[in-house]
Amino acid sequence: MKNLIYVDNNATTRVDDKVMEAMLPFFTELYGNPSSMYPFALCSKAPIDKAREQVAKFINAERSDEIIFTGCGTESDNMAILGALKAKPDKKHFITSSVEHQAIHILNHSLEKMGYRVSRISVNEEGLLNLDELRNEICDDTALISLMWSNNETGVIFPIEEAAAIAAEKGIPFHTDAVQAAGKVEIDVQKTGVDLLSISGHKIHAPKGVGALYVKRGTRLRPFLIGGHQEHGRRAGTENVPGIVGFGKACELAGEFIEDEVNRVGALRDKLESEILKRIPDTSIVGSREFRTPNTTNIIFKYVEGEAILLMMADEGICASSGSACTSGSPEPSHVLSAMKVPIGVAHSAIRFSLSRYNTDEDVEFIINHLPPVIERLREMSPLGSNRR
Amino acid sequence: MWEYSDKVFEYFKNPKNMGEIENPDGRAEVGSESCGDLMLLTLRIDKATDTIKDVKFKTFGCASAIASASVLTELAIGKTIDEALKITNNDIIRELGGLPNAKIHCSVMGQEAIEAAVNNYRGIETVIHEHEEGTVICNCFGITDKTIEKAVREHNITTVDEITRYTKAGGACQSCHLDIQDIIDKLNNE
Ligand code: FES
């Protein structure tokens, strides 16, 4: 395969070598089931406790038993929302935003079928949350509020501390999907005052198949997966020991790398973005530039369709993503961009670049040199644009 | 990621007959920017023989939309307009070595474009069923539940086959057949 320029880190990330190293013994040597009754099993139990400490430290949880390991970010989100709603069976109102990840966006449909009323707080054209609307939507029937920390498609950051304070004032539990924020902005559950928080391993250089849910002590939550007594009886299922160990290590590293992320990766993103805007006409950025994770940029290339851009870029070895999978000609691009009132036609032309600590200056140079001809070529093929008759 | 055939990739990267004919004899624009697929087709026609001398396309859309348009132009060049009207989306799919189910609508757009461009040459206006009301049931042809319901009522339809004959819905990838059957059953039970 030719040189790979991977700028799709909001989709998934490369496993860090140190993470890999930490995990390896738990596949072939220390493979015991932590629940078993012999010393060999203990060899895989203690590392889980260590990982729990590492995750707790990463998000500044008060106690490590506030961390529950799960199978992925989606499971954490589902568990938080369904578990918290089930804990309050008399309340039937759920508040979230209009730009959440599928794990919540699609779950909302199920909740509505189950008889819940779902309020989706709107965002403005910059993707910023309407806090007044949040205040107004809260009522006696509200069981839970869930708002993402930062958006997967645009990187836009919500004011979680303020939102959590509004929830706390009314005594409503507050969940945040921090899957895209972890490792990119500082996460402090005590300072922000959230009750529930989801994170995922593979977005921060741990492997796929492991996530975590932070549950503040005292938060009422019914279990989601039912079965064994694992995770203090809160999440049944044999622990993914290697994954959990890797996740712990990744959290430790993410804590160390956060400065690099903000400064170096942020500077790379800024360069990529400004050079693209400078070199390619009819381009624009989606979302607030002020409140945004440092690694993400979402750019509209007018008159050309996202998938076509991705495939042409892939031919050059560049891996990015488009907000909308053009599925079956359904005229619905990303619900995120729609909520931000990006015109539907234009939303088909949005491309997301998301960087990580593995990206270099050379990567950015490569993209800004190879992208302009790709766009130019596709625009030649397009009936839209300046050459339209 | 879609599993495109090598041919789709080839036509996408090196499309044939891309561009726009000046003062064309036939011209059509199908699809829409908001659907993420828009195709402009222009024809040069020898009026004495009604033969298509040249075709050019421009497409805003995904790889399969561009490839479908390109293949269409090759299929149409040299044909009389009557022959060209017989080009179906299945011909386009065959030339492309297959299309993923979710992309069959791209080939349908090709068929619609040649129809509309020939109609334009003949001075006939094409009614494009764009943005019908209701929710789309058949993605391949962009047919909504409303259209299907109307057909069921008007023609006392009981099978998916009949729906396909009347509305085209269900005529390509077939993934909508269960949904169409649901609509038929619902109305017939009323
Ligand atoms: S969706 Fe493919 S034939 Fe209807």
Side-chain angles (χ1 to χ4, degrees):
Chain A
M1 198 192 266
K2 71 171 136 187
N3 211 4
L4 195 73
I5 312 285
Y6 187 80
V7 280
D8 199 15
N9 289 279
N10 286 7
T12 195
T13 57
R14 174 201 196 285
V15 171
D16 192 296
D17 292 336
K18 289 189 187 131
V19 169
M20 183 68 183
E21 206 180 299
M23 289 170 63
L24 277 180
F26 297 95
F27 287 105
T28 48
E29 289 157 43
L30 306 171
Y31 53 81
N33 185 328
S35 301
S36 300
M37 280 303 157
Y38 32 77
F40 176 56
L42 268 188
C43 301
S44 35
K45 192 167 183 303
I48 293 182
D49 295 335
K50 183 181 166 200
R52 211 183 296 283
E53 299 275 343
Q54 286 166 315
V55 177
K57 186 166 174 238
F58 175 56
I59 61 173
N60 196 29
E62 201 183 339
R63 309 157 50 109
S64 69
D65 62 8
E66 292 173 319
I67 307 296
I68 302 174
F69 287 111
T70 66
C72 57
T74 295
E75 187 193 326
S76 300
D77 285 343
N78 274 240
M79 177 179 178
I81 291 168
L82 293 169
L85 290 178
K86 259 196 228 158
K88 291 194 173 181
D90 49 320
K91 295 193 189 283
K92 294 286 178 206
H93 180 224
F94 172 55
I95 301 180
T96 183
S97 84
S98 53
V99 295
E100 298 291 315
H101 181 267
Q102 267 88 335
I104 291 168
H105 182 67
I106 305 292
L107 178 64
N108 287 338
H109 303 323
S110 310
L111 291 177
E112 281 169 336
K113 282 202 190 112
M114 287 157 61
Y116 284 90
R117 187 165 69 85
V118 177
S119 298
R120 299 164 176 85
I121 306 301
S122 66
V123 297
N124 67 8
E125 272 141 50
E126 298 223 289
L128 300 171
L129 191 74
N130 186 336
L131 278 177
D132 287 332
E133 197 181 317
L134 172 63
R135 281 190 198 93
N136 294 335
E137 280 299 319
I138 295 175
C139 65
D140 287 343
D141 200 30
T142 308
L144 175 72
I145 299 172
S146 175
L147 295 167
M148 71 198 322
W149 194 308
S150 81
N151 188 276
N152 46 310
E153 289 184 33
T154 60
V156 171
I157 296 171
F158 279 169
I160 291 304
E161 199 171 335
E162 272 177 270
I166 293 171
E169 204 179 291
K170 307 273 180 175
I172 300 165
F174 185 90
H175 167 254
T176 182
D177 172 354
V179 166
Q180 291 291 346
K184 298 163 192 166
V185 296
E186 208 181 289
I187 294 198
D188 184 331
V189 289
Q190 295 186 65
K191 183 161 157 268
T192 42
V194 301
D195 303 302
L196 298 152
L197 175 138
S198 305
I199 48 176
S200 165
H202 75 108
K203 311 285 189 191
I204 57 167
H205 307 285
K208 295 153 191 70
V210 61
L213 180 66
Y214 159 79
V215 185
K216 188 168 149 191
R217 220 157 91 96
T219 306
R220 286 165 63 193
L221 195 77
R222 292 248 172 271
F224 176 58
L225 281 191
I226 316 279
H229 52 80
Q230 292 89 350
E231 298 297 289
H232 310 290
R234 312 177 86 172
R235 196 268 188 186
T238 300
E239 299 88 340
N240 170 7
V241 181
I244 288 171
V245 168
F247 191 20
K249 185 71 189 173
C251 283
E252 184 191 309
L253 294 171
E256 288 169 17
F257 269 105
I258 191 118
E259 244 190 80
D260 176 76
E261 182 85 21
V262 174
N263 297 325
R264 194 187 66 87
V265 177
L268 283 182
R269 188 274 313 269
D270 289 347
K271 178 175 171 190
L272 176 70
E273 180 173 273
S274 60
E275 285 298 319
I276 288 177
L277 293 193
K278 200 163 78 191
R279 294 180 193 205
I280 306 177
D282 294 319
T283 46
S284 55
I285 292 167
V286 184
S288 162
R289 296 178 82 162
E290 193 183 346
F291 302 101
R292 195 170 46 158
T293 46
N295 78 318
T296 307
T297 177
N298 191 310
I299 303 180
I300 286 175
F301 298 87
K302 275 184 97 175
Y303 316 131
V304 283
E305 197 268 342
E307 187 198 299
I309 303 175
L310 291 183
L311 286 181
M312 283 272 185
M313 285 203 301
D315 218 33
E316 306 280 349
I318 304 169
C319 305
S321 92
S322 71
S324 61
C326 161
T327 44
S328 301
S330 66
E332 293 157 39
S334 118
H335 69 279
V336 175
L337 300 196
S338 303
M340 293 167 72
K341 311 221 169 44
V342 175
I344 294 185
V346 177
H348 287 294
S349 307
I351 297 290
R352 176 190 73 190
F353 300 89
S354 48
L355 283 63
S356 82
R357 68 175 85 126
Y358 286 102
N359 287 115
T360 60
D361 211 37
E362 286 77 53
D363 290 347
V364 170
E365 279 295 326
F366 187 90
I367 299 170
I368 58 185
N369 287 325
H370 287 74
L371 190 54
V374 163
I375 301 297
E376 200 175 314
R377 186 163 160 65
L378 285 169
R379 281 186 179 162
E380 268 170 31
M381 294 188 202
S382 172
L384 300 171
S386 51
N387 54 358
R388 190 181 175 111
R389 277 169 231 188
Chain B
M1 163 124 196
W2 308 112
E3 291 192 32
Y4 285 132
S5 68
D6 292 346
K7 274 204 162 164
V8 171
F9 272 117
E10 210 177 289
Y11 275 107
F12 166 56
K13 283 179 211 155
N14 303 301
K16 309 273 168 10
N17 305 312
M18 198 262 293
E20 190 175 348
I21 296 172
E22 299 262 347
N23 307 314
D25 301 309
R27 181 184 192 280
E29 211 174 277
V30 297
S32 81
E33 190 183 0
S34 59
C35 294
D37 276 322
L38 178 69
M39 177 171 162
L40 168 71
L41 202 68
T42 44
L43 311 180
R44 171 74 61 234
I45 296 175
D46 177 57
K47 300 209 171 89
T49 58
D50 268 356
T51 305
I52 298 174
K53 289 275 163 237
D54 196 12
V55 186
K56 291 224 180 310
F57 82 92
K58 279 196 167 187
T59 293
F60 165 83
C62 57
S64 51
I66 290 169
S68 295
S70 177
V71 157
L72 169 72
T73 60
E74 290 189 319
L75 285 172
I77 290 175
K79 288 206 165 66
T80 66
I81 54 175
D82 285 329
E83 287 165 351
L85 284 177
K86 294 203 185 97
I87 298 174
T88 68
N89 75 299
N90 286 322
D91 298 329
I92 295 174
I93 294 173
R94 197 176 330 108
E95 286 300 311
L96 286 174
L99 272 181
N101 277 353
K103 296 292 186 178
I104 285 175
H105 68 278
C106 296
S107 65
V108 172
M109 201 168 75
Q111 181 184 343
E112 285 171 357
I114 188 74
E115 259 174 50
V118 169
N119 282 348
N120 173 262
Y121 166 66
R122 288 178 162 164
I124 308 169
E125 214 186 307
T126 312
V127 226
I128 300 174
H129 57 262
E130 198 197 313
H131 286 304
E132 289 172 50
E133 279 195 35
T135 38
V136 174
I137 300 291
C138 175
N139 284 315
C140 288
F141 293 94
I143 310 289
T144 65
D145 52 352
K146 292 273 174 295
T147 309
I148 295 170
E149 282 167 14
K150 195 163 154 253
V152 174
R153 287 214 177 84
E154 281 173 8
H155 309 284
N156 294 321
I157 284 172
T158 54
T159 64
V160 176
D161 270 1
E162 290 169 273
I163 286 291
T164 307
R165 239 178 293 142
Y166 284 106
T167 69
K168 288 191 190 166
C173 78
Q174 310 193 349
S175 69
C176 57
H177 279 195
L178 275 182
D179 292 337
I180 295 177
Q181 192 65 55
D182 281 352
I183 295 177
I184 298 173
D185 293 349
K186 192 185 81 201
L187 290 183
N188 286 334
N189 285 336
E190 264 173 17

